[in-house]
């Protein structure tokens, strides 16, 4: 693996594996690293292992890489039984293995952690392993360049401010033409609005249908909302890198926009990791709780439907529809019911996958996998489980409230010839909306 | 078919079907990419309008254009672009136009 520096200006002297390890370890992780009893239950919960049956894909093996290094530097027995325990130094000999396994064979979906009888947060330990690699400046090219772009611009796709402003104007026009109404708005930088809506830059650059849907829903519910002309990116790729400092920096951009526009609720687009990072991880990174509320757009839209602000006509969707639960939104984010509630109101034929909810399998696109081209074939192979799940439901439309999942599902559709349409929840809701 | 094989010998695509060397692109390559990577049998005039715009924008600016610009410059509606390239503008159209894979969630 080549060394890649993310922040070019940072004059940091090169660390050794030992220093990187020492800087990142804390008590809770140290305890968890020593807790694994190698029972192997996690193997049955991992979509990588279930599709390739390789030992390297077993979650316990993945964290044993980190565990062995931990033992080498910290274990009190290390002087006597080092060879017997398999403890290992962290140096150039195992960096490649670390990268290929911790980045290439894990999507940080957390299904193993849920099924671990010892309660080990396995996915967090993998993230910890990644954070050490990041300290050593060893990381996959695609992930590094996405984060670099996010650092240079205010979003991970390198959208220039004027391009974004133009896009918002264009979206407003498109929406008015498409729905034949001039009372639809895309407010930009409206001070004092209740909601600040943070998007995934992918929506503005390539896939604006979800933005159009949200614009229509907010207009219909007569919500006081706004977009920001800068610092609007809901994603946080530093989360996948395990770099908490950088992740905090990205979150602070959203915080700055909230303060600048005086909004009360930060509403994030249908983005799994962005939601998990902002809602649950950010207080840990910042050291304090943000002063405003952080919600996902699904929660807000579900509220509208419950309050009767939106009326939906399910008869417009007659094809069978299924829901993919994004790991970061459901298992790690806790939004179990919102998407199902909305789909049941918006379509006539809703089918569940088996398993679903918190036990749902990852689509294979999480953990930054979509940004890491070097592991793409592995990612598609690991997505076989999801492809089979979808086939079994017989659904023609697969709904996923996460842009990462959407991309992976689109690829699975092509690769496994599923013949499905892939949509966000808001798109389906907007299509079922009774206007008036 | 014989032609396809010949193309494959000197053209390398990455694991997601994007050209490894975008400057090796030409119209024949576009047809081959469309067929093998995207399952589009024949590129129509409408396809070419989009592909040519993407290509020339990329050659000038070094990155893919925003969807807004693509729609406004070619005059196609959003839905039409999705009809032409079912994998969408990023993974479908940019790939056939020989652009490198964009960063981020794509």
């Amino acid at each position: 693996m080549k060394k890649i520096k993310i922040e070019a200006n940072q004059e940091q002297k090169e660390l050794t594996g030992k220093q990187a390890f020492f800087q990142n370890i804390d008590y809770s992780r140290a305890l968890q690293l020593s807790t694994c009893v190698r029972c192997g239950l996690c193997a049955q919960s991992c979509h990588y292992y279930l599709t390739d049956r390789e030992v390297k894909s077993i979650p316990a093996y993945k964290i044993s890489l980190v565990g062995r290094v931990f033992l080498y530097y910290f274990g009190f027995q290390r002087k006597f039984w080092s060879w017997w325990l398999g403890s290992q130094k962290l140096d150039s000999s195992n960096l490649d293995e670390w990268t290929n396994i911790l980045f290439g064979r894990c999507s940080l979906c957390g299904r193993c952690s849920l099924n671990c009888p010892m309660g080990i947060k396995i996915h967090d330990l993998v993230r910890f392993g990644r954070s050490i690699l990041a300290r050593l400046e060893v990381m996959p090219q695609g992930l590094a360049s996405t984060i670099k772009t996010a650092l240079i611009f205010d979003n991970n796709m390198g959208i220039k401010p004027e391009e974004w402003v133009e896009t918002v104007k264009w979206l407003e026009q498109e929406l008015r033409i498409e729905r034949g109404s001039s009372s639809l708005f895309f407010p930009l930088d409206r001070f004092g609005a209740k909601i600040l809506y943070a998007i995934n830059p992918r929506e503005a650059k390539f896939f604006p249908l979800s933005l159009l849907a949200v614009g229509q829903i907010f207009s219909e519910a007569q919500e006081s909302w706004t977009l920001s002309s800068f610092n609007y990116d809901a994603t946080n790729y530093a989360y996948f890198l395990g770099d908490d400092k950088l992740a905090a920096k990205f979150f602070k951009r959203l915080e700055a926009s909230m303060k600048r526009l005086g909004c009360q609720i930060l509403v994030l687009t249908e983005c799994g990791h962005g939601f998990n990072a902002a809602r649950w991880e950010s207080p840990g990174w910042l050291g304090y709780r943000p002063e405003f509320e952080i919600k996902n757009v699904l929660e807000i839209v579900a509220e509208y439907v419950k309050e009767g602000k939106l009326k939906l006509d399910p008869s417009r969707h007659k094809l069978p529809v299924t829901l993919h639960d994004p790991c970061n939104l459901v298992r790690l984010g806790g939004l179990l019911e919102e998407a199902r509630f909305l789909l049941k109101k918006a379509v006539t034929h809703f089918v569940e996958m088996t398993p679903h909810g918190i036990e749902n399998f990852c689509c294979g696109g999480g953990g930054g996998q979509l940004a890491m081209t070097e592991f793409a074939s592995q990612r598609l192979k690991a997505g076989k489980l999801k492809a089979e799940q979808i086939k079994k439901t017989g659904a023609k439309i697969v709904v996923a409230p996460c842009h990462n999942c959407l991309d992976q599902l689109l690829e699975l559709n092509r690769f496994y010839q599923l013949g499905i349409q892939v949509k966000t929840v808001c798109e389906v809701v907007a299509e079922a909306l009774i206007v008036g | 078919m014989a032609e396809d094989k010949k193309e494959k010998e000197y053209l390398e695509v990455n694991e997601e079907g994007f050209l490894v060397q975008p400057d090796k692109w030409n119209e024949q390559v576009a047809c081959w990419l469309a067929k093998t990577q995207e399952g589009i049998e024949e590129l129509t005039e409408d396809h070419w309008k989009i592909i040519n715009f993407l290509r020339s924008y990329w050659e000038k600016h070094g990155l893919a254009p925003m969807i807004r610009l693509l729609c406004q410059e070619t005059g196609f509606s959003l839905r039409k672009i999705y009809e032409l390239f079912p994998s969408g503008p990023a993974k479908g159209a940019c790939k056939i136009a020989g652009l490198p894979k964009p960063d981020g969630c794509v």
Side-chain angles (χ1 to χ4, degrees):
Chain A
M1 272 285 156
K2 266 195 316 204
K3 289 213 161 193
I4 304 167
K5 239 192 168 85
I6 283 205
E7 285 178 285
N9 300 331
Q10 221 175 35
E11 276 186 32
Q12 199 183 30
K13 68 170 195 287
E14 223 166 85
L15 296 171
T16 62
K18 187 179 176 183
Q19 286 165 330
F21 205 96
F22 268 83
Q23 283 183 6
N24 284 29
I25 191 89
D26 58 33
Y27 283 114
S28 124
R29 280 165 169 173
L31 182 67
Q32 297 202 27
L33 276 174
S34 325
T35 310
C36 179
V37 293
R38 316 279 197 278
C39 72
L41 270 178
C42 49
Q44 294 303 320
S45 67
C46 178
H47 59 291
Y48 277 96
Y49 178 73
L50 289 175
T51 47
D52 69 7
R53 302 278 167 184
E54 282 189 47
V55 177
K56 283 189 278 191
S57 299
I58 299 176
Y61 180 80
K62 297 173 197 169
I63 60 166
S64 80
L65 290 179
V66 187
R68 274 188 238 152
V69 174
F70 174 73
L71 215 58
Y72 187 89
Y73 294 130
F74 292 88
F76 67 87
Q77 323 93 321
R78 70 183 188 274
K79 278 180 195 153
F80 309 105
W81 304 322
S82 179
W83 58 272
W84 189 67
L85 293 165
S87 63
Q88 247 180 3
K89 247 186 181 171
L90 180 61
D91 55 27
S92 52
S93 65
N94 46 8
L95 278 184
D96 268 354
E97 194 191 8
W98 270 52
T99 319
N100 289 336
I101 291 180
L102 300 181
F103 278 108
R105 283 182 187 264
C106 179
S107 62
L108 304 179
C109 76
R111 198 165 187 270
C112 47
S113 311
L114 184 73
N115 289 299
C116 176
M118 306 302 289
I120 303 171
K121 277 161 78 185
I122 301 173
H123 71 285
D124 182 62
L125 292 178
V126 172
R127 241 190 101 229
F128 166 63
R130 287 184 178 194
S131 75
I132 296 168
L133 289 173
R135 284 262 170 172
L136 297 170
E137 294 163 3
V138 177
M139 64 197 91
Q141 171 69 39
L143 195 57
S145 69
T146 304
I147 296 173
K148 266 186 202 170
T149 314
L151 274 170
I152 299 167
F153 295 88
D154 57 350
N155 62 81
N156 70 26
M157 300 210 91
I159 301 169
K160 289 180 194 137
E162 63 274 15
E163 279 179 338
W164 165 234
V165 173
E166 284 298 312
T167 299
V168 174
K169 283 185 202 156
W170 169 72
L171 282 172
E172 193 170 84
Q173 279 170 9
E174 283 283 305
L175 192 61
R176 287 176 179 182
I177 296 167
E178 196 171 297
R179 315 278 193 230
S181 159
S182 59
S183 61
L184 299 165
F185 296 101
F186 268 89
L188 191 64
D189 282 346
R190 186 193 281 166
F191 185 83
K194 191 172 135 205
I195 286 174
L196 172 68
Y197 188 64
I199 67 153
N200 184 325
R202 173 189 182 276
E203 296 177 88
K205 182 111 188 179
F206 295 118
F207 296 87
L209 293 177
S210 51
L211 266 178
L212 286 176
V214 169
Q216 198 192 1
I217 290 172
F218 279 149
S219 296
E220 193 57 38
Q222 296 179 335
E223 185 56 83
S224 145
W225 71 296
T226 185
L227 293 161
S228 171
S229 59
F230 61 95
N231 287 345
Y232 50 79
D233 187 350
T235 68
N236 196 332
Y237 270 69
Y239 170 72
F240 297 141
L241 199 59
D243 189 335
D244 292 353
K245 250 190 196 163
L246 204 57
K249 189 171 173 178
F250 287 141
F251 178 76
K252 277 189 176 165
R253 289 175 169 181
L254 290 174
E255 197 182 26
S257 283
M258 284 297 286
K259 279 192 184 144
R260 183 171 64 86
L261 295 170
C263 300
Q264 297 157 30
I265 311 176
L266 173 63
V267 176
L268 299 158
T269 180
E270 297 178 44
C271 171
H273 83 277
F275 174 74
N276 185 20
R279 170 95 156 242
W280 305 117
E281 301 286 347
S282 68
W285 299 331
L286 297 168
Y288 60 87
R289 206 168 271 281
E291 285 163 9
F292 45 85
E293 254 187 286
I294 301 170
K295 284 190 171 179
N296 190 271
V297 67
L298 295 182
E299 296 174 81
I300 299 280
V301 178
E303 274 169 32
Y304 294 156
V305 174
K306 278 178 197 160
E307 288 164 8
K309 282 185 185 169
L310 295 182
K311 290 197 172 56
L312 304 176
D313 173 12
S315 68
R316 289 180 207 166
H317 290 104
K318 292 213 168 71
L319 292 170
V321 177
T322 190
L323 172 71
H324 164 67
D325 291 290
C327 313
N328 270 305
L329 208 61
V330 179
R331 184 162 37 242
L332 304 172
L335 297 189
L336 254 97
E337 290 308 321
E338 285 76 0
R340 327 204 116 69
F341 167 77
L342 286 170
L343 286 181
K344 281 175 189 162
K345 293 269 178 196
V347 306
T348 37
H349 189 173
F350 177 68
V351 233
E352 288 279 19
M353 289 187 205
T354 339
H356 61 263
I358 54 166
E359 281 283 359
N360 191 32
F361 280 110
C362 173
C363 61
Q369 288 299 338
L370 274 154
M372 301 186 266
T373 311
E374 40 284 68
F375 306 121
S377 64
Q378 224 154 277
R379 156 165 65 82
L380 285 172
K381 216 166 119 192
K384 195 175 164 210
L385 220 52
K386 181 53 57 182
E388 279 167 4
Q389 264 191 306
I390 293 172
K391 264 187 203 160
K392 272 186 202 150
T393 62
K396 292 287 163 228
I397 300 175
V398 178
V399 179
C402 167
H403 288 278
N404 241 313
C405 300
L406 287 177
D407 264 316
Q408 168 77 349
L409 291 170
L410 280 171
E411 285 211 15
L412 293 181
N413 186 21
R414 195 169 57 94
F415 197 73
Y416 294 100
Q417 294 172 340
L418 300 174
I420 49 164
Q421 288 179 54
V422 183
K423 289 182 178 180
T424 65
V425 176
C426 285
E427 281 174 50
V428 174
V429 170
E431 280 161 7
L433 208 57
I434 302 170
V435 183
Chain B
M1 282 308 279
E3 223 180 71
D4 279 1
K5 269 187 192 159
K6 218 170 135 194
E7 302 260 353
K8 251 182 212 167
E9 277 167 20
Y10 68 88
L11 282 174
E12 237 187 300
V13 290
N14 73 7
E15 316 234 2
E16 285 160 292
F18 284 84
L19 276 189
V20 173
Q21 290 164 296
D23 44 325
K24 286 254 171 88
W25 184 90
N26 60 36
E27 294 192 355
Q28 243 181 325
V29 174
C31 294
W32 173 74
L33 282 170
K35 209 185 280 176
T36 56
Q37 303 298 333
E38 290 299 304
I40 300 172
E41 281 302 317
E42 215 186 319
L43 291 174
T44 61
E45 212 174 291
D46 288 350
H47 284 113
W48 280 114
K49 211 169 158 187
I50 295 174
I51 293 170
N52 289 335
F53 173 70
L54 284 174
R55 191 72 199 173
S56 62
Y57 187 93
W58 180 75
E59 276 167 4
K60 217 188 251 172
H61 303 273
L63 46 91
M66 302 280 292
I67 180 81
R68 169 191 71 85
L69 215 60
L70 183 64
C71 287
Q72 286 178 337
E73 293 288 320
T74 57
F76 293 130
S77 70
L78 258 174
R79 313 250 169 209
K80 177 80 182 168
I81 289 176
Y82 278 90
E83 264 170 45
L84 291 169
F85 299 96
S87 323
K91 281 212 161 147
C94 287
K95 187 187 284 173
I96 297 173
L99 273 59
K101 181 186 171 277
D103 291 334
C105 301
V106 262

